[in-house]
Amino acid sequence: MLKIKLFFTLVLLTLSFVSVAQDNEQGSKVNLERADILENGTKDGESFQKLIGNVLFSQNDTKIYCDSAYLFKITNSIEAYGYVKVIQGDTITITGRKLIYLGNDRIAQMRNDVEFKTPSTTLYTDHLDFDRNEQLAYYFQGGKLIDSTNQVTSDKGYYLARTKIISFKKEVVLTNDSETLESDTLVYNTRTRVAFFVAPTKVTDEDGNVANYNEGSYNTKIKKSILLYGDIESEDYILSGNKLFLDNLNGYYRVTKNVVMTHKKEDMIIYGDVAEHWKNRRFTKIYGNPLVKKVVDQDTLYLRADTLIAIDSQKEEEKKLIAFDNVRIYKTDLQGLSDSLVYVSLDSMFYFRKDPILWTTGTQVTADSINLLIRNKTLDQMNMYSNSFLIYEDSLLYHNQVKGRNMVAYFEKEELHKIDVDGNGESIYFALDEKTADLVGMNKILCSTMTIKFDKGKVQDIFFYTNPDATFIPPHELADPDKTLKNYDWRSKEKPQLETILSGEPAEDLTLTEESVKKEIEVSGLGALKEIAKPN
């Protein structure tokens, strides 16, 4: 009895296996559904059916339409011609002029005027292979993909129907209504419209601004990118860093870590931890230990501040660099401090504001505001407005002093050449013996206007105008109160040094968050630059 049960069990298993095999064989068979004309023939020893007019084949959920075809039953393959269309389910439609379909492998090779369509995209090429088992379509010898947002062309492309992701290879160009992207490799999600970069990529926007980067992602629907190791180039600047966030819809860009901003026309480079750029307002904020390097007098002028704003206006007179809080400058023959500074590109002028102080060739200058003019990359002129005070130290460390309402200092060959005093002029000058360099006495002069000429950093001549009042005091009569003018303040210990200018601590709170991005995007207008410039 047990043997009989085992026998029937084996029979059932065998029949089940044969049934599955027959189902699988039936599922892979290419079936002829219809044709207007059917002819039999033989090619290379293999029999075939030649089909003409309204030809239709099927295999599982796939339909193949064509004008004419050859059906090879032994190899389970077809060659189709004319207007050829392959429909898989309700998601993929392929059309072309010639098709070779390998039924056993379920591979379609479409040629000439090929269109590969899904509900959201259309791919155009002349050479397309579609592996139905892997749901992989790939083209070669050039192709173009179009969806509602972008157009992409490349030499090769691989589309995974299951994930809706296509990988483009060689000479990749993505274009939309605002940008053109060029790369060697691009991975694109046709469902989310997100592009992923894994090779050096160049993006050019509608205004001609160019961005270059190595890797990252770009959501083409909402125009936002997160990129690594790249740069953004405008007409005047190149901005680069380790990490870039681009919101092209709102015209907001943020660059962090190893930020470098190069002014192409000014021989100026700006470094920092964070840079934020507002495209429509055409200005950039740099903070987190920002440092400026500018070529002047065949030397380098260094500028350090808490925050910098670079305004890249279409009007030359509005192009400027603004430095806020704790401004320090250093050059071999010029150092300075102030609360804020503005550099205007058009006239190459530095404007120092609020308690500015400058040192040059042994001379200290203070005023309510000071302007420095750079001409031909050389320090040319210094303008001091209101409460101007100049102190220059001689070889015996005596402090000669000049004060007045306004002053103008002129430079020649990088050295102080002349100072004009306009209004309420006062001067103290210590006279030295030309041979022994001993102190002869001190001259104190009151004069509304005066001119002081220098030679190699030393006073050469003083010219007084408009009723000068002069007093000479010999050395033995000099008392300490006589040696200084009112508001005298020698501040040489505050003079910036190169090592302190170049050093600094990283800025705090440099992380990129959605909250900080939204906050910065909401900021508008140039009226409160200082408030905008504050780090988060």
Side-chain angles (χ1 to χ4, degrees):
M1 185 69 177
L2 179 61
K3 291 183 180 180
I4 295 173
K5 287 184 178 180
L6 287 173
F7 174 77
F8 278 109
T9 301
L10 289 172
V11 170
L12 290 173
L13 288 173
T14 302
L15 292 174
S16 175
F17 176 79
V18 171
S19 175
V20 170
Q22 288 176 341
D23 287 344
N24 288 338
E25 183 179 354
Q26 183 69 20
S28 65
K29 182 180 179 182
V30 176
N31 299 303
L32 174 62
E33 299 291 342
R34 69 164 186 255
D36 292 341
I37 301 174
L38 187 152
E39 298 176 357
N40 293 313
T42 303
K43 180 180 180 181
D44 299 330
E46 182 181 357
S47 61
F48 63 81
Q49 290 182 331
K50 182 177 180 181
L51 311 162
I52 301 174
N54 297 312
V55 182
L56 171 61
F57 298 99
S58 66
Q59 186 185 46
N60 304 115
D61 64 343
T62 298
K63 306 291 185 183
I64 301 175
Y65 302 83
C66 61
D67 294 333
S68 62
Y70 293 93
L71 172 61
F72 301 91
K73 290 186 176 182
I74 295 177
T75 58
N76 195 33
S77 62
I78 63 174
E79 294 180 10
Y81 300 93
Y83 178 72
V84 184
K85 180 165 65 174
V86 178
I87 299 177
Q88 176 181 282
D90 57 357
T91 59
I92 294 175
T93 300
I94 311 172
T95 61
R97 294 299 178 182
K98 178 183 177 181
L99 169 69
I100 296 177
Y101 185 72
L102 307 178
N104 293 335
D105 297 323
R106 304 214 304 175
I107 293 177
Q109 300 173 336
M110 190 74 81
R111 302 292 182 265
N112 302 329
D113 301 327
V114 180
E115 292 185 13
F116 181 92
K117 292 185 177 183
T118 70
S120 59
T121 60
T122 302
L123 174 65
Y124 301 90
T125 183
D126 280 330
H127 300 81
L128 178 78
D129 289 356
F130 180 48
D131 185 334
R132 292 183 55 225
N133 291 321
E134 301 295 332
Q135 289 295 288
L136 171 65
Y138 49 98
Y139 65 85
F140 44 95
Q141 298 185 21
K144 177 173 65 175
L145 179 138
I146 296 178
D147 59 26
S148 60
T149 307
N150 305 287
Q151 173 179 296
V152 187
T153 61
S154 68
D155 185 52
K156 298 179 181 179
Y158 304 84
Y159 176 74
L160 282 169
R162 293 190 181 95
T163 60
K164 307 295 189 296
I165 291 176
I166 184 168
S167 175
F168 299 97
K169 302 286 186 180
K170 292 187 179 181
E171 299 183 9
V172 183
V173 179
L174 183 151
T175 58
N176 52 42
D177 57 356
S178 59
E179 293 161 315
T180 298
L181 181 153
E182 300 170 73
S183 182
D184 182 68
T185 303
L186 173 68
V187 178
Y188 182 65
N189 189 317
T190 61
R191 179 177 54 83
T192 62
R193 305 286 197 269
V194 175
F196 300 90
F197 317 111
V198 293
T201 303
K202 175 183 176 181
V203 177
T204 306
D205 68 16
E206 56 190 344
D207 297 323
N209 299 320
V210 177
N212 298 280
Y213 34 81
N214 286 351
E215 56 185 278
S217 64
Y218 172 38
N219 189 320
T220 64
K221 290 179 68 176
I222 60 176
K223 309 292 186 184
K224 289 184 179 181
S225 306
I226 296 178
L227 312 167
L228 299 178
Y229 308 106
D231 61 67
I232 306 168
E233 183 174 359
S234 67
E235 180 181 352
D236 292 331
Y237 288 97
I238 300 175
L239 178 61
S240 64
N242 288 10
K243 186 174 182 179
L244 299 86
F245 170 81
L246 281 63
D247 182 348
N248 292 327
L249 201 60
N250 293 285
Y252 170 80
Y253 309 135
R254 180 183 176 103
V255 183
T256 58
K257 294 186 179 180
N258 296 320
V259 174
V260 180
M261 186 172 178
T262 304
H263 196 303
K264 297 187 287 188
K265 302 176 184 178
E266 287 284 339
D267 288 325
M268 182 188 296
I269 301 176
I270 305 172
Y271 303 88
D273 293 328
V274 180
E276 297 178 273
H277 176 71
W278 287 262
K279 178 181 175 182
N280 295 333
R281 285 147 52 195
R282 304 179 72 91
F283 82 90
T284 306
K285 177 179 71 174
I286 305 100
Y287 59 91
N289 249 353
L291 173 68
V292 179
K293 293 182 180 181
K294 177 174 172 57
V295 175
V296 179
D297 298 340
Q298 297 181 338
D299 194 2
T300 301
L301 172 68
Y302 298 90
L303 185 154
R304 175 80 76 181
D306 291 347
T307 305
L308 300 174
I309 294 287
I311 299 177
D312 185 16
S313 174
Q314 291 179 321
K315 299 179 180 178
E316 288 295 325
E317 63 272 17
E318 294 181 357
K319 292 182 178 180
K320 60 187 68 174
L321 176 70
I322 303 171
F324 291 121
D325 300 329
N326 195 25
V327 176
R328 293 152 287 160
I329 66 168
Y330 178 90
K331 185 175 171 291
T332 304
D333 55 359
L334 177 69
Q335 298 83 42
L337 302 171
S338 70
D339 178 71
S340 60
L341 175 149
V342 177
Y343 173 72
V344 179
S345 301
L346 181 64
D347 53 10
S348 295
M349 184 78 81
F350 287 91
Y351 296 85
F352 296 85
R353 296 294 181 265
K354 193 177 180 181
D355 193 28
I357 177 169
L358 298 177
W359 294 268
T360 177
T361 59
T363 301
Q364 174 184 294
V365 177
T366 58
D368 289 352
S369 62
I370 300 175
N371 300 344
L372 276 182
L373 174 63
I374 306 296
R375 184 171 287 152
N376 297 323
K377 299 182 180 180
T378 301
L379 180 59
D380 183 78
Q381 185 174 311
M382 182 190 301
N383 299 288
M384 294 150 275
Y385 299 102
S386 299
N387 300 312
S388 304
F389 204 123
L390 181 146
I391 304 171
Y392 51 98
E393 191 174 56
D394 65 19
S395 58
L396 294 182
L397 305 183
Y398 288 110
H399 287 179
N400 301 302
Q401 302 153 51
V402 180
K403 65 181 294 187
R405 185 171 58 246
N406 302 320
M407 295 186 194
V408 181
Y410 301 91
F411 296 82
E412 285 187 1
K413 296 180 180 179
E414 306 179 17
E415 292 185 350
L416 183 61
H417 172 65
K418 182 179 73 168
I419 294 178
D420 289 335
V421 182
D422 180 18
N424 304 323
E426 296 181 51
S427 172
I428 284 180
Y429 175 63
F430 293 87
L432 304 180
D433 186 282
E434 293 184 359
K435 294 182 179 180
T436 64
D438 293 333
L439 179 65
V440 175
M442 189 192 79
N443 289 294
K444 184 173 183 179
I445 303 168
L446 304 178
C447 186
S448 178
T449 57
M450 64 180 76
T451 297
I452 305 169
K453 289 191 174 181
F454 296 79
D455 182 25
K456 297 181 180 179
K458 298 180 180 180
V459 175
Q460 185 181 38
D461 291 302
I462 303 178
F463 301 92
F464 303 97
Y465 312 97
T466 318
N467 302 320
D469 181 8
T471 301
F472 179 80
I473 304 175
H476 64 278
E477 296 181 8
L478 269 177
D480 286 340
D482 298 325
K483 296 178 182 180
T484 60
L485 297 173
K486 186 179 179 181
N487 297 326
Y488 164 88
D489 187 9
W490 181 245
R491 299 164 59 183
S492 61
K493 291 183 179 180
E494 300 176 43
K495 186 189 300 184
Q497 303 298 318
L498 181 58
E499 54 268 25
T500 59
I501 288 284
L502 295 179
S503 65
E505 296 297 326
E508 297 180 358
D509 191 21
L510 303 182
T511 55
L512 179 64
T513 64
E514 284 296 324
E515 289 76 17
S516 65
V517 171
K518 291 178 181 177
K519 178 181 176 181
E520 297 296 351
I521 290 174
E522 289 171 358
V523 177
S524 62
L526 292 173
L529 276 174
K530 195 165 184 177
E531 287 301 314
I532 296 172
K534 290 181 179 179
N536 295 329

